[in-house]
Amino acid sequence: MPGKKKGKGKKGKGKKGKKGKKKDKNSALRGEPGAAVKSVLRAYDENCARTASLSCVGLRRKLKASYEDNILLEKFLLEGYEDPPPDQPIMMVEPLLDALRSERYVFIKELSVWDVPLKHENVASVALLLEKQVYPVRQLELLDCGIESYPVTRLARSFPAHPFLSTIVLDYNEIGDAGCRGLCAGLCKNVLIQTVSLNFCGLEVESGRILAEMVTNSAVCNLFLDGNDLECEGAMELIKMVADTAEREAFERAEEVRMKAELEAEKELEAKNGRVRTAISTTSSRSEGEDEKEDKGEGGGKAKKGKKGKKKKKGKKKKKEAEPPKVGPWLKKLHLAENGLDAFGKAGNYAPVICMRLFRKLITNSNCLEELDLGDNHIGDLGGRELLQALLDRKEAKLPTLSLGVSPMMHQDTFTLLMKHSGSLKKKGKKKKGKGKGKKKKKK
C-alpha cells in the first residue's frame, strides 16, 4: 500500500509540472510579447546551426529589438546577398519557417524573402505555411529568388486555402508564360487577393490573355507588370474586357442620371399643376384647417408630455462588417512601363495607335481607375493625342483625376498637356539599392 501511494504522488507531481510549463508558455504569448519574440529568435538560431544555414543579420537585429522593447514583430524580412562569396554557407528559408511553427508564433502579417535562392522544396515549405490557415500572412514577397514556373504553380495551390492573403509580389523571377498560367489558376480560386506584382518576370504576349482571364474571375484590381514583353497585342488582350465593362457601366450611369432628371421634372410639373388647381379652394378651406390644427394641438400637447417621461435606452452601435472585394473585371492600378508598347513589335507600325485607342476607351469610362503607368514605351505623338483626348473626356464626365505616366518621346506640347490634365504618378520606392537598374530583360 505505501508503494501505491508513492506512485500516485509521483504521477500527481508530474501532472502539476506539465501544467505549470503550459501556463508559462501561454502567459508569455499573451501578456509578454517580448518573450514570444525571444523564443522565435532562439529557435531560429538553433535551426540555423542545425542545418548549417547562414542566418540573416537584419532579421536577428529586428527580433532582438522587438523583444527588448516588449513588442510583437509582424513583418519578417529574410534578406540574402546579391553576390555571396563562394566559401560562405547558403541562406535558407526553412529555419525561419520551422521557428514560427515550433513556437506557434501566429502574429506574422508580412513575409518577405529577398535574394535567397528558392528551389521547389523551399517554395513548397512556404506554401505549407500558408495552407495551415493559422498564420495571418497578408503580404507575401519573394523577390529575385530564382523561382521558376513549376514552383510558382505549387505556391498558387495554397491561395484558395488561405483566408488572409491580399498581396503577392514575385518581382525579378523568370517565371515566364507557363508560370503566369499556374499562378493565375490559383488566383482565380481566391476572392481576397487584390494586388499582384510581376515586374521583370519574362512575361510575353500570351500572358496578356492569361492575366485578362484572371482579372475577370478574381478580385485582383492592382497589377504591376513593369519590365516585361507584353507588347501592344498582349496589353490589348489584357484590358479589352475591362474597357468593355467600363463602357457598359458608364452607359448605365448616364441612363440612371437621365431617368432621375426626368422623374424630378415630372414631380415638379405635378406639384405646379396641383398648386394651380387648389388656388381657388385654399381661401375657403384655410379657416377650417386652422380650427382642426388647434384641436389636434391641444390633444397632441398632452400626448407629448406623456412621451417625455419615457426614456429610450441607447443601444450600442453595431460595427459595419468590411465587405469582401468586388470580383472583376475592373482595375484600379495598372503599371505597364517598359513593355514594348511601340511600333517595333509583330503587330506592325499602327499597333501603338490602335492600342492607345483601347486605352482611351478605358480611361474615358472607368470611374475606378486611379493609376496608369505607360512609361518607357514609345507610343508616339498620335498615341499621346489619344490619351490626351481621353483625359479631356474624363474631365468632362466629372470622373476622378487619373495619375498617368508616359514617355516624353512625343511632341513637347502633347506631353505638356498630358502632364497638365493628369495627376502625378508616385513610383514605388526601391526597396533595395540597385534593384531594378541592374536587372535587364532577356533579348529574344
Side-chain angles (χ1 to χ4, degrees):
M1 293 299 288
K4 286 183 181 180
K5 286 181 182 179
K6 195 175 181 182
K8 284 181 182 179
K10 283 182 180 179
K11 194 174 180 181
K13 283 180 183 178
K15 281 186 178 180
K16 283 180 183 178
K18 285 181 182 178
K19 282 183 180 178
K21 287 181 182 178
K22 193 173 182 181
K23 191 176 179 180
D24 292 338
K25 192 170 184 179
N26 290 337
S27 65
L29 286 171
R30 293 172 186 172
E32 300 177 9
V37 178
K38 189 175 181 180
S39 63
V40 172
L41 176 59
R42 184 177 63 252
Y44 176 62
D45 288 338
E46 291 174 357
N47 294 337
C48 286
R50 178 173 50 81
T51 58
S53 170
L54 183 67
S55 64
C56 180
V57 178
L59 179 60
R60 292 191 76 260
R61 192 184 298 117
K62 284 186 178 181
L63 285 168
K64 190 175 180 181
S66 295
Y67 85 72
E68 286 176 353
D69 297 337
N70 198 30
I71 57 173
L72 292 169
L73 184 64
E74 297 178 347
K75 300 179 181 180
F76 284 75
L77 171 59
L78 192 68
E79 186 174 4
Y81 299 93
E82 292 187 13
D83 298 312
D87 57 338
Q88 202 170 29
I90 301 170
M91 186 179 294
M92 294 188 290
V93 71
E94 277 80 2
L96 174 60
L97 301 180
D98 292 341
L100 294 172
R101 288 196 197 96
S102 62
E103 300 303 320
R104 296 183 180 86
Y105 192 85
V106 294
F107 308 104
I108 179 173
K109 291 185 179 179
E110 293 185 16
L111 177 61
S112 302
V113 183
W114 295 355
D115 288 311
V116 178
L118 297 180
K119 297 180 181 179
H120 176 68
E121 55 268 22
N122 309 127
V123 176
S125 299
V126 177
L128 288 170
L129 183 78
L130 298 178
E131 289 171 355
K132 291 291 182 182
Q133 300 185 9
V134 178
Y135 305 94
V137 180
R138 289 173 172 78
Q139 181 170 325
L140 178 65
E141 290 187 5
L142 304 177
L143 269 67
D144 201 6
C145 296
I147 302 174
E148 297 177 353
S149 59
Y150 186 63
V152 167
T153 306
R154 171 63 188 94
L155 178 67
R157 288 182 205 154
S158 65
F159 295 164
H162 200 269
F164 305 102
L165 205 58
S166 63
T167 303
I168 301 291
V169 182
L170 297 173
D171 299 346
Y172 308 103
N173 293 293
E174 293 286 337
I175 63 174
D177 294 339
C180 182
R181 187 179 292 105
L183 179 69
C184 291
L187 290 170
C188 288
K189 298 175 183 177
N190 186 295
V191 292
L192 296 175
I193 297 174
Q194 293 181 281
T195 302
V196 175
S197 183
L198 297 172
N199 297 322
F200 296 91
C201 287
L203 307 184
E204 298 183 0
V205 177
E206 182 62 26
S207 292
R209 302 184 186 94
I210 299 166
L211 290 167
E213 186 180 353
M214 180 270 294
V215 170
T216 305
N217 298 310
S218 70
V220 175
C221 58
N222 303 316
L223 269 178
F224 300 93
L225 304 170
D226 298 341
N228 292 293
D229 290 303
L230 293 181
E231 298 184 1
C232 292
E233 188 181 352
M236 286 190 289
E237 289 288 342
L238 172 60
I239 67 167
K240 187 177 179 181
M241 186 68 72
V242 182
D244 290 342
T245 304
E247 187 179 33
R248 188 181 69 251
E249 289 178 353
F251 176 76
E252 289 173 358
R253 288 196 302 270
E255 282 294 306
E256 188 178 347
V257 170
R258 185 182 63 79
M259 291 175 68
K260 190 177 180 181
E262 287 180 359
L263 189 62
E264 288 178 357
E266 287 178 4
K267 285 181 179 178
E268 286 179 6
L269 186 61
E270 287 177 3
K272 190 176 180 180
N273 293 336
R275 285 195 298 269
V276 172
R277 289 171 186 172
T278 57
I280 300 169
S281 59
T282 48
T283 53
S284 60
S285 62
R286 188 176 296 169
S287 58
E288 294 178 4
E290 286 176 358
D291 294 338
E292 287 177 4
K293 284 180 181 178
E294 286 177 4
D295 295 338
K296 286 178 181 178
E298 290 174 3
K302 292 177 182 178
K304 282 180 183 177
K305 284 179 183 177
K307 285 181 182 177
K308 281 181 182 177
K310 295 179 181 179
K311 290 184 180 180
K312 292 182 179 179
K313 293 182 180 179
K314 292 183 179 180
K316 292 182 180 179
K317 292 182 179 179
K318 293 182 179 180
K319 292 183 179 179
K320 292 183 179 179
E321 294 182 0
E323 294 181 0
K326 186 177 74 171
V327 177
W330 65 291
L331 286 173
K332 193 175 178 182
K333 297 179 183 179
L334 178 61
H335 288 216
L336 289 171
E338 200 177 341
N339 260 275
L341 307 183
D342 49 40
F344 305 107
K346 295 177 182 178
N349 295 333
Y350 296 102
V353 181
I354 299 169
C355 184
M356 291 308 112
R357 281 180 184 170
L358 191 57
F359 272 105
R360 174 182 173 179
K361 184 179 176 181
L362 173 64
I363 295 169
T364 302
N365 298 306
S366 177
N367 65 340
C368 57
L369 187 64
E370 295 179 1
E371 290 184 12
L372 178 62
D373 188 7
L374 301 174
D376 296 323
N377 293 298
H378 192 183
I379 61 175
D381 190 58
L382 291 175
R385 289 180 187 179
E386 292 288 340
L387 295 179
L388 177 60
Q389 189 58 48
L391 292 174
L392 294 174
D393 294 341
R394 187 180 180 86
K395 189 175 181 181
E396 187 179 351
K398 296 180 181 179
L399 294 177
T401 305
L402 175 69
S403 299
L404 181 66
V406 292
S407 171
M409 297 175 71
M410 61 180 71
H411 197 277
Q412 184 63 36
D413 294 341
T414 307
F415 180 74
T416 304
L417 289 170
L418 279 171
M419 295 298 101
K420 180 182 177 181
H421 293 288
S422 64
S424 58
L425 187 66
K426 293 181 181 180
K427 290 274 189 180
K428 285 196 300 182
K430 299 297 180 185
K431 297 189 177 178
K432 296 202 305 183
K433 291 180 181 179
K435 182 66 73 178
K437 289 184 180 180
K439 209 76 178 176
K440 294 181 181 179
K441 294 190 290 183
K442 290 183 179 180
K443 293 182 180 180
K444 293 181 181 179

